[in-house]
Amino acid sequence: MHDNFLTLAPTQLLEILTFSHEATVIFISSELHIGFINTSMLNIWGKKNDIVSHRLIDVAPEFENFIPILQEVWSTGKPFKAKDTPANTMDGGVLVQKYFNFEYRPIIDKEGKTYAIINTATDVSDRRQALLDKELSERHLNDELLAINEEQEAAIEELRATNEELFETRSNLNKANTQLLESEIRVREILEQAPLGMCMLVGPEHIIEIANESILKIWGRSKNEVIGKAHHQARPELIGQPVYKWLDEVYTTGRARKNHEFKVMLYNHGSLREAYVNSIYQPIRNAEGGVNGVLVIIEEVTDDVKKRMEAQRTQDMLNLAIEAGGFGTFYYNAVHNRFTGNDILKSWFGLEDGNEISLNLATDVICDADREKVINAINTALTYGSGGDYDIEYSICAPGTESLRMVRAKGKAIFDSDKKPISLNGTLQDITELKQDEQRKNDFIGMVSHELKTPLTSLKAYLQLLQIKAVKDPFTVVALGKANTQVKKMTAMIDGFLNLSRLESGKIYLDLERFDMMELIEEVVNEFSVTSASNQILFNRVNPISVHADRSKIGQVATNLISNAIKYSGDGENIEISCLVKENSVVVSIKDYGIGIKPEDLERLFERFYRVDTSDMKTISGFGIGLYLSAEIIQRHNGKIWVESIYGEGSTFYFSLSI
Ligand code: ADP
């Protein structure tokens, strides 16, 4: 090697080095004078050949960093190698960083001293760049891959989540579906069992999808006849009625419709029947809000409407009758103390239209003489247990009117479950005219009776004269006796009528005196004993009982009751009379064992002209005024008169007067 080296001339060697591709520079002093530099190295450094024999620091100060290393190599004699080392080199007048692999190899002489350093260098910038680019692109790729990976992972995660969600959604959907199905079944069941008629019509043809039993009953149709059919086909009976039109309207406008007590002709076993219904036509909307059907709900109210119409008709007729009869009607709300009535009543009471007044204001209109009596009667009717009946005659003197109006009020009180009065309603009849007629009649009866009495008195006197003169002829005596009895009866009758007319016109006056009741009863009994031999009258006169009363009128009452007892008893039946004191009153009783009185007649016996209407009565004469007069007389004495009787067994009449 050494030998080979020596065969080459130094110039030759330098030439080779000059053209060598390996960039080379040789430093020949410790101060790093450049001894040689080839073209390749000059190219790297960006310098010209004139730098030879100059110090490195002077011609290439940009390499100052490397100088200490070179000096170290020079002084130590140890080579230095480095790879991919950055160095700033001149390129076109500017400094550019490039990368190099380089070596500093010291050349050592025999004494071991350094006399040159060969510095070779390879520009690895491009390779490095390529490497870097590769690395970069690799890193990019890696990053991208990583990103893709991450994305993928995320996507997978999402997918998993989505899957889970999907699963959940599906199970929810399943649940919802089941619920939907259940709720649909439930809705159908509800519809089916609803007491109201219900049907569901679908589409513009109103196809009947559901129709429950109640609606089928109202329609008069069976399920088979209607389900799945268009409404107008299933129910042709509605032609000419407004239902089809209404259904179309609800379907097209989406507006619900309500009908109240609408009259409709419904199918009924082959014919039509009149019915009244309340109905609702409700549009059914889909999710988008469009109408796709109509729900129909029907309640049949035929019975109610007909009953109400009937009640209304009855009420109208009643009102008509009340109006035609000139009756006033009154309504008294006892809870709120409000009194009102129909127009007639309002006019009589001087009430404005729609006026309701309290009861005391209403009673103000009643004449002073009658007011207390009316208030008492109202209070009695409003007392539970009284039967609630109200029946009274009185006069009213409405404000602004001069004339008196006599009325008869008849009403009935109603009570709640707590026995408290709720109302007292009834009618009012104007009896002014009637009373005047009665007055005229009474006057007439009075006058006739009075006129009849005069001839009868003379007839009686003549009969008595004849009786005295005819003592020798027994037949004439008996006949005159009988004639006398008849005249007495007639006198009694005429007296009765006279008393009646006096009583009714209020002209009956009590002539009060103190007398012994025992004595009076005995007198009356004695009179009867003479005239009626067919019945025995039993009376025990004991201690006197003094009373203050009209002796003659009480005598009339006793006569009346005893004569009835005889009249309504068979021959031979006893009449028992008693007179005794009971709790500050004298009670007189007349007991017979005659035909008796039925319970339904007992109450009405003391009414004017009342006579029991039975076959036994046909043969017994009378006018039905005796008991009426007796009762009036006793009542005017503030006494009491009553009767106890068992039909077919006999009766006991009582009257009592306070002592
Ligand atoms: P009359 O003139 O009809 O007797 P009264 O007013 O005296 O009229 O009696 C009314 C009715 O009461 C009689 O028609 C009779 O039906 C009935 N009546 C009265 N007293 C008796 C009696 N003692 N027994 C049965 N019925 C009687």
Side-chain angles (χ1 to χ4, degrees), residues 25-27 32 70 73-74 104-107 114 116-119:
V25 57
I26 300 173
F27 301 105
L32 304 174
L70 280 164
V73 170
W74 190 278
Y104 297 156
R105 186 158 0 124
I107 311 295
T114 305
I117 293 174
I118 299 174
N119 169 197

Side-chain angles (χ1 to χ4, degrees), residues 462-473:
Y462 283 120
L463 278 176
Q464 275 164 3
L465 274 177
L466 280 176
Q467 263 180 324
I468 296 163
K469 288 201 169 177
V471 274
K472 281 165 198 147
D473 181 1

Side-chain angles (χ1 to χ4, degrees), residues 388-510:
D389 289 318
Y390 173 64
D391 186 353
I392 193 167
E393 289 177 6
Y394 57 90
S395 302
I396 44 179
C397 185
T401 55
E402 285 298 304
S403 59
L404 273 186
R405 188 187 301 274
M406 293 198 69
V407 293
R408 177 173 185 191
K410 221 171 148 47
K412 186 104 187 155
I414 293 170
F415 300 87
D416 64 13
S417 53
D418 292 335
K419 305 177 178 179
K420 292 213 176 75
I422 300 171
S423 62
L424 173 60
N425 303 331
T427 56
L428 220 63
Q429 184 187 5
D430 187 340
I431 53 167
T432 317
E433 195 78 7
L434 207 75
K435 283 283 160 185
Q436 282 167 356
D437 280 352
E438 241 169 53
Q439 188 54 53
R440 280 192 281 273
K441 189 186 71 199
N442 280 335
D443 289 350
F444 176 73
I445 291 173
M447 195 184 69
V448 169
S449 310
H450 190 78
E451 292 304 315
L452 282 176
K453 267 196 100 167
T454 323
L456 208 59
T457 316
S458 27
L459 186 64
K460 212 168 159 186
Y462 283 120
L463 278 176
Q464 275 164 3
L465 274 177
L466 280 176
Q467 263 180 324
I468 296 163
K469 288 201 169 177
V471 274
K472 281 165 198 147
D473 181 1
F475 172 77
T476 314
V477 172
V478 173
L480 283 174
K482 282 188 177 167
N484 206 17
T485 311
Q486 295 306 321
V487 168
K488 266 191 184 165
K489 270 191 185 172
M490 208 165 156
T491 312
M493 258 183 225
I494 288 170
D495 277 342
F497 279 118
L498 207 59
N499 281 334
L500 177 80
S501 86
R502 283 185 189 145
L503 182 86
E504 300 258 296
S505 47
K507 284 179 197 145
I508 192 163
Y509 299 108
L510 297 184

Side-chain angles (χ1 to χ4, degrees), residues 521 524 528 537 554-569 575-577 588-592 605-606 626-631 634 640-643 651-656:
I521 300 297
V524 177
F528 275 104
I537 302 170
I554 298 297
Q556 264 179 43
V557 171
T559 307
N560 212 340
L561 294 180
I562 295 169
S563 99
N564 274 349
I566 296 167
K567 203 155 87 174
Y568 300 106
S569 297
I575 313 292
E576 295 165 9
I577 298 175
V588 178
S589 69
I590 295 100
K591 183 179 174 74
D592 67 58
L605 236 45
F606 298 96
L627 285 182
Y628 171 69
L629 275 176
S630 303
I634 296 298
K640 267 172 70 183
I641 184 162
W642 71 101
V643 58
S651 319
T652 310
F653 283 79
Y654 302 85
F655 69 88
S656 71

Side-chain angles (χ1 to χ4, degrees), residues 560-561 564-568 592 594-597 605 607 610-613 617 620-628 645 650-651 653:
N560 212 340
L561 294 180
N564 274 349
I566 296 167
K567 203 155 87 174
Y568 300 106
D592 67 58
I595 59 174
I597 303 153
L605 236 45
E607 283 176 22
Y610 188 80
R611 300 202 76 219
V612 174
D613 188 18
M617 291 292 299
I620 308 167
S621 67
F623 290 109
I625 56 169
L627 285 182
Y628 171 69
S645 180
S651 319
F653 283 79

